[in-house]
Amino acid sequence: MVLEKGNLADAVRASTSIPGIFKPVEIEGRMLVDGGIVENVPVTPLKQLHADKIIAVQLLAHQAAKKPEHIVEVLLNTFEFMISNISKPYLEDVDLLISPDLSGFDKVDTDQVKDLIRKGYKAMMDSLD
C-alpha cells in the first residue's frame, strides 16, 4: 500500500513495523507492516508515477549476518536476508544506487545516528562522482 496522504507519524510507524518485533499499524482499516516484505526499495510506485530518474539507497548491501546473541537479532538477520533477496530485481531499474557500507554498525544501537548520517552522506557524494 502506497501512502500518499494521512498522518505522517502513522506512516513512519507502519514503515518501520518489522513483523515479530513491532506490532502492525492500522491505517484505513488495513494492518500495515514494513513494506520491505513486498518491495524494500520502492521502485515500482516511482515507475508508475513516471519518475524521470530513480535514486535508491540500499542499506543492506554490505551487511553480513553475525552470530545472534538473542531472539531479536535472529529475527533481524532473517528479515534482512529476506529483504536483500527480494530487492535484487527492483534495483536493476534504478538510475543511481547508493550503497553505504554499514557493516561496522550495530543494527539496534540508536546512539549511532550521527555516524550513520555521515556515512550515508559520504556514500551519496561518492556515488555522484
Side-chain angles (χ1 to χ4, degrees):
M1 177 174 186
V2 177
L3 301 174
E4 298 181 77
K5 60 182 170 36
N7 185 290
L8 180 60
D10 288 344
V12 171
R13 279 189 21 245
S15 179
T16 60
S17 179
I18 300 170
I21 298 176
F22 302 112
K23 69 179 190 173
V25 176
E26 185 173 352
I27 298 177
E28 296 180 18
R30 295 174 72 179
M31 299 304 288
L32 303 181
V33 296
D34 187 322
I37 292 173
V38 177
E39 188 173 346
N40 186 50
V41 183
V43 174
T44 301
L46 296 172
K47 288 173 59 178
Q48 291 171 343
L49 290 169
H50 306 290
D52 293 329
K53 299 287 181 188
I54 298 175
I55 300 171
V57 180
Q58 174 58 299
L59 298 176
L60 302 176
H62 303 283
Q63 292 289 336
K66 66 175 186 171
K67 182 178 179 180
E69 295 181 19
H70 46 76
I71 189 64
V72 172
E73 288 182 350
V74 170
L75 291 170
L76 284 172
N77 283 348
T78 303
F79 190 68
E80 289 173 0
F81 178 75
M82 178 186 68
I83 286 175
S84 291
N85 284 307
I86 290 171
S87 298
K88 288 177 185 175
Y90 298 105
L91 295 176
E92 294 173 3
D93 291 330
V94 304
D95 297 293
L96 176 63
L97 180 62
I98 301 167
S99 300
D101 182 355
L102 305 178
S103 60
F105 292 90
D106 186 303
K107 296 174 188 171
V108 294
D109 183 356
T110 56
D111 292 333
Q112 307 170 104
V113 172
K114 288 182 182 178
D115 291 332
L116 286 164
I117 291 170
R118 278 193 285 274
K119 192 76 161 183
Y121 182 81
K122 182 179 180 333
M124 187 264 315
M125 295 304 285
D126 291 348
S127 295
L128 293 176
D129 291 338

